[in-house]
Amino acid sequence: MSQVPPMQPPPDIPPEQSLITYPSHFPIKVMGAKVEGYVEAIVKVAQAFDPDFDAATVEQRPSKAGNYLGLTITVRVTSREQLDELYRTLTTHPMVKVVL
């Protein structure tokens, strides 16, 4: 049985090569178990990074079996560092399974 190599952090992309211009409204897909408080927890994270984030804009998509809930949050980001920290915060959140 072969072992999967550990994930490596993405390489730093110089600002002039980035495809994202800042500030920008950036959609992020977040998946987690469909449990009470999940949507509110993700909204709280989004608002920590974008105080003007509107919870009413969260798009929800339940899994086929209904056990998981995919969310799309569109957050206004002002820098690569802010976007990276938002991804780190989401990926380490105990209610989150996957962030895309």
Side-chain angles (χ1 to χ4, degrees):
M1 193 180 239
S2 65
Q3 288 189 333
V4 176
M7 289 186 61
Q8 298 296 315
D12 282 336
I13 299 171
E16 65 276 4
Q17 292 180 10
S18 176
L19 299 177
I20 302 169
T21 55
Y22 299 96
S24 177
H25 284 88
F26 195 83
I28 300 172
K29 295 188 184 297
V30 184
M31 288 165 256
K34 187 176 179 185
V35 296
E36 188 174 327
Y38 168 61
V39 175
E40 293 79 6
I42 301 309
V43 166
K44 188 174 180 179
V45 171
Q47 289 173 335
F49 286 87
D50 176 5
D52 295 327
F53 180 79
D54 182 0
T57 63
V58 175
E59 297 174 33
Q60 300 184 32
R61 182 171 293 140
S63 65
K64 201 175 271 189
N67 298 324
Y68 293 92
L69 186 61
L71 305 176
T72 301
I73 58 171
T74 301
V75 181
R76 184 176 186 277
V77 292
T78 57
S79 68
R80 171 67 187 257
E81 295 76 22
Q82 179 194 24
L83 183 58
D84 288 348
E85 187 59 30
L86 174 55
Y87 267 95
R88 267 191 293 281
T89 301
L90 288 168
T91 56
T92 59
H93 193 284
M95 297 179 94
V96 172
K97 301 293 182 201
V98 178
V99 179
L100 302 172

